[in-house]
Amino acid sequence: MDQPAISDYGFLSDCRSGALVGRDGSVDWWCPDRFDGPAVFGRLLDPEAGHWCLAPVAAGRPGHRVERAYRPDTLVLRTVHHTPEGSVAVTDALAAELGARGHRLGMSSPAVLLRTVEGLSGRVRMASDFAPRPDHGLLTPYLHDQPDGAVLAVAGATVLELRSDGPPLRAGPDRVRTEFDVAAGDTVGFTVAYGRTYGERPARLDPSTMMAETVQAWEAYRETHQYEGRYRDLVRHSAVVLTGLTYTRSGAVAAALTTSLPERIGGDRNYDYRYAWLRDFSMTLRALWVAACPSEASRLFAWAARSIGRPGPEPVPVLFGLEGERDISEHDSTHLRGYAGSRPVRFGNDAWRQRQLDVPGEMISAVWRLHHLLGDPLDEELREMVLGLADEVADTWHLPDRGMWETRDADRHYVSSKVLCWVAMDKAVALAPRLGERADARRWAAIRDEIRTSVLREGWNETVGAYTGAFGCREIDASALFLPVAGFLPATDPRMRATIEVIERDLGTDSGLVRRWDTDPAGFLLCSFWLVECLVLAGERERAEALFERVVGHANDVGLLSEQIDLHTGAQLGNTPQALSHIGLINAAWRLTDPTSD
């Protein structure tokens, strides 16, 4: 299947939903209701699952060239098409609420996709092909011309309203096609507004006015984010991407915009990442704290605390829906062919059912990191949460689990999971004075020390000369790089230093990429950024800087990173844009700025 490369896509967001638009001018992914809702444009996963292409008629022919960039500190994307007849700029955005500024971005977004065409030189023939297919391509809508010139697309629970302030629109049997000329100085605007079939009619907005409002909303939002450390432009842009992945209504950060983009073309490790993972919590908080502002980190924490609720007999799931939904059961699509033929296509993620021992450590660490904002003493709900999670770790740390890579085979005693159990006990001890009479700091400290002894004894493999992925195994796993990052061992510890060297030798590449394990077909970007942090902590700053600069070179032309990079072609793989990759970039840049940061 001939599909655009993953790196060909730019990311649009209104902080409740997101869209992907290709270099060819086609919007191939948009779930307008919320990030994890049904797509109305799904060509990303099947050529027949819907798209909206707006580009010169000459696109793709000899003499056609594309340049694109975001407006600074925004997710408003400007694509310039140069053709033999002239040049045009297409600016794409998801509309902000009228007058939205600061942290109101995304609170009441109107769910409107804005596209404006500006003539720059000559006279260019443009074509628009609007072919929505709601419910992930299951539905072909009825198209209705309206007296005011709009076209309504209606199917199932979805209504889309296409408008133009330029060429007239006419409904075809299953799409709206139109061609028009744009001369230098001309501006033509389009909007597609989303609504519910049995709700109010979709919002009607002036494209030029709303484009200006959306730019101002993003710029005002970014004014609250101050970062003056190293690699400032890269960090600020990654912070904008994280903002774009934040579901503002709750504060949850989606792991990625997409589902089922493969780790290997034609492979079956294709998962739905449109949810929020607690495992990533402390790393996400640290990145928001460094590159964003405290209120964003606090809102994310409040979402997680509410989602967990009062700890009970069932273990805390590793991920939740964006409004705290716990049951996000997985199912395979039977009608979508998958990106480049990679099947299955999955909606939902059954990792929520797995036992993941590392989750409490992430949460208790987050409370410890933010305790000065959360109050002294902590309120009753936070005390109960920490006490419950600490007791859960005390009772279960010795059990096997599925590990941070969420394997779908057997449970094992993963080293990284045990380390985060140690983190949970260590931070619970530190928080004990704020937790009231039920805090059992002496017991927690004893268990913490027992976990540490177990990891140091069982996690080290003398034959391999490194800490391995799980107790009693010989498989090198890049998750061992997390030990110094989590503060479990200094990077200068002789065994830890040996582990870093083995991972560099056996899992690293000349391009700076680090695989998770030796059979992993691609470099995992977060692991590469962990290696940067480890080298800084080991006192090898120059090597760390050189590695960081090689790794960030894998971003696409508008600074977006997916989950993985193909070792042979350099192509981006996996769901995109990937929050953990941008979180890793921010945290590694800050480590290069301040090696003593925790």
Side-chain angles (χ1 to χ4, degrees):
M1 293 170 61
D2 184 17
Q3 287 188 256
I6 292 171
S7 60
D8 278 355
Y9 288 104
F11 171 43
L12 313 177
S13 173
D14 57 12
C15 295
R16 96 171 192 183
S17 67
L20 293 180
V21 56
R23 290 174 59 86
D24 60 359
S26 184
V27 178
D28 289 348
W29 186 252
W30 186 32
C31 303
D33 192 39
R34 55 186 248 179
F35 291 115
D36 54 354
V40 296
F41 301 133
R43 187 159 72 173
L44 183 71
L45 297 177
D46 190 294
E48 304 303 321
H51 68 277
W52 180 18
C53 188
L54 179 61
V57 172
R61 299 175 186 172
H64 177 236
R65 181 170 55 88
V66 173
E67 298 175 308
R68 57 183 186 165
Y70 285 111
R71 291 284 299 265
D73 289 336
T74 78
L75 289 179
V76 176
L77 183 64
R78 187 172 188 264
T79 302
V80 178
H81 296 270
H82 300 286
T83 76
E85 293 75 31
S87 298
V88 297
V90 178
T91 302
D92 295 315
L94 287 172
E97 179 188 6
L98 185 66
R101 298 293 184 269
H103 293 280
R104 283 200 55 80
L105 183 62
M107 286 293 188
S108 301
S109 299
V112 176
L113 179 57
L114 305 171
R115 312 195 75 179
T116 62
V117 184
E118 177 189 0
L120 302 179
S121 66
R123 189 175 190 86
V124 179
R125 187 73 171 168
M126 298 290 293
S128 171
D129 181 21
F130 174 76
R133 298 293 184 267
D135 208 358
H136 296 305
L138 282 172
L139 298 172
T140 299
Y142 293 104
L143 300 175
H144 304 287
D145 292 322
Q146 301 299 295
D148 60 1
V151 175
L152 280 184
V154 183
T158 298
V159 175
L160 297 173
E161 186 170 87
L162 173 66
R163 290 185 175 276
S164 164
D165 63 12
L169 303 173
R170 295 289 181 268
D174 65 350
R175 64 189 63 220
V176 181
R177 284 182 168 141
T178 186
E179 293 189 7
F180 57 99
D181 291 325
V182 177
D186 290 347
T187 300
V188 178
F190 293 86
T191 62
V192 170
Y194 163 79
R196 306 287 292 178
T197 298
Y198 302 104
E200 297 180 0
R201 189 170 178 178
R204 180 175 181 175
L205 304 176
D206 175 72
S208 297
T209 300
M210 288 313 302
M211 188 68 77
E213 281 283 325
T214 300
V215 170
Q216 291 177 31
W218 277 103
E219 290 174 345
Y221 195 76
R222 298 306 308 152
E223 286 173 5
T224 66
H225 297 186
Q226 301 300 319
Y227 174 83
E228 301 301 334
R230 301 200 61 193
Y231 303 103
R232 181 175 181 272
D233 290 345
L234 290 172
V235 168
R236 285 178 65 89
H237 182 59
S238 284
V240 171
V241 174
L242 288 184
T243 299
L245 289 170
T246 300
Y247 184 71
T248 302
R249 294 175 180 176
S250 66
V253 178
L257 180 65
T258 58
T259 178
S260 301
L261 292 186
E263 296 179 10
R264 179 177 61 82
I265 300 298
D268 62 358
R269 288 181 57 85
N270 317 320
Y271 302 116
D272 194 345
Y273 278 13
R274 301 173 300 155
Y275 308 106
W277 265 253
L278 293 186
R279 174 188 297 106
D280 310 338
F281 203 74
S282 64
M283 289 183 286
T284 306
L285 279 174
R286 182 170 180 253
L288 291 174
W289 188 264
V290 165
C293 65
S295 61
E296 286 184 64
S298 299
R299 290 188 69 245
L300 174 61
F301 184 83
W303 164 83
R306 294 189 191 105
S307 299
I308 290 172
R310 185 183 294 275
E314 294 297 319
V316 176
V318 69
L319 72 156
F320 289 90
L322 300 177
E323 294 185 358
E325 301 89 345
R326 183 168 289 217
D327 185 344
I328 48 176
S329 297
E330 181 178 297
H331 68 276
D332 293 355
S333 162
T334 59
H335 69 285
L336 295 172
R337 285 177 273 179
Y339 177 83
S342 303
R343 300 185 71 182
V345 172
R346 294 183 169 103
F347 299 110
N349 196 308
D350 274 346
W352 77 274
R353 303 177 188 274
Q354 295 182 355
R355 179 166 62 228
Q356 298 285 355
L357 299 178
D358 50 2
V359 172
E362 293 284 0
M363 289 304 305
I364 297 175
S365 177
V367 176
W368 174 81
R369 186 179 294 278
L370 292 182
H371 67 81
H372 59 293
L373 289 179
L374 299 172
D376 186 9
L378 302 176
D379 65 38
E380 181 181 359
E381 289 184 3
L382 285 174
R383 288 200 307 272
E384 289 298 317
M385 185 188 76
V386 174
L387 289 166
L389 292 175
D391 287 341
E392 179 180 324
V393 172
D395 293 340
T396 63
W397 75 267
H398 61 282
L399 298 174
D401 73 345
R402 293 299 176 90
M404 68 165 52
W405 308 131
E406 297 173 4
T407 60
R408 298 200 171 192
D409 49 13
D411 288 3
R412 294 182 177 85
H413 292 281
Y414 286 99
V415 170
S416 59
S417 297
K418 306 302 184 189
V419 167
L420 272 162
C421 289
W422 174 88
V423 168
M425 294 290 91
D426 186 60
K427 300 312 182 190
V429 169
L431 288 167
R434 297 176 170 84
L435 297 176
E437 295 181 356
R438 289 172 50 208
D440 194 346
R442 180 172 296 181
R443 176 176 179 246
W444 294 341
I447 293 172
R448 174 196 63 192
D449 296 343
E450 185 180 357
I451 296 171
R452 180 178 179 84
T453 299
S454 179
V455 170
L456 294 178
R457 181 182 64 247
E458 305 295 337
W460 175 261
N461 187 297
E462 190 67 40
T463 303
V464 177
Y467 290 103
T468 56
F471 288 3
C473 84
R474 299 185 56 174
E475 186 179 53
I476 300 298
D477 192 308
S479 62
L481 295 171
F482 188 63
L483 273 63
V485 175
F488 181 82
L489 276 177
T492 52
D493 173 89
R495 285 187 167 185
M496 191 65 237
R497 192 68 190 89
T499 300
I500 295 169
E501 291 174 357
V502 169
I503 290 173
E504 278 195 279
R505 183 193 69 208
D506 293 353
L507 302 181
T509 66
D510 292 340
S511 61
L513 300 171
V514 177
R515 296 173 295 156
R516 287 171 292 180
W517 49 79
D518 63 4
T519 58
D520 201 356
F524 200 84
L525 286 163
L526 177 64
C527 297
S528 302
F529 288 121
W530 278 347
L531 179 56
V532 171
E533 292 200 59
C534 287
L535 291 176
V536 174
L537 292 170
E540 298 190 50
R541 175 182 289 273
E542 289 187 5
R543 286 187 62 212
E545 290 174 353
L547 175 62
F548 180 87
E549 290 169 10
R550 290 201 303 276
V551 175
V552 298
H554 293 287
N556 73 356
D557 59 321
V558 290
L560 300 179
L561 293 166
S562 65
E563 183 180 31
Q564 296 181 265
I565 303 295
D566 187 280
L567 297 178
H568 303 292
T569 67
Q572 293 196 9
L573 294 171
N575 287 304
T576 196
Q578 178 78 6
L580 270 184
S581 297
H582 288 277
I583 288 165
L585 184 155
I586 292 170
N587 289 338
W590 182 241
R591 187 76 71 181
L592 285 162
T593 300
D594 182 5
T596 64
S597 61
D598 56 35

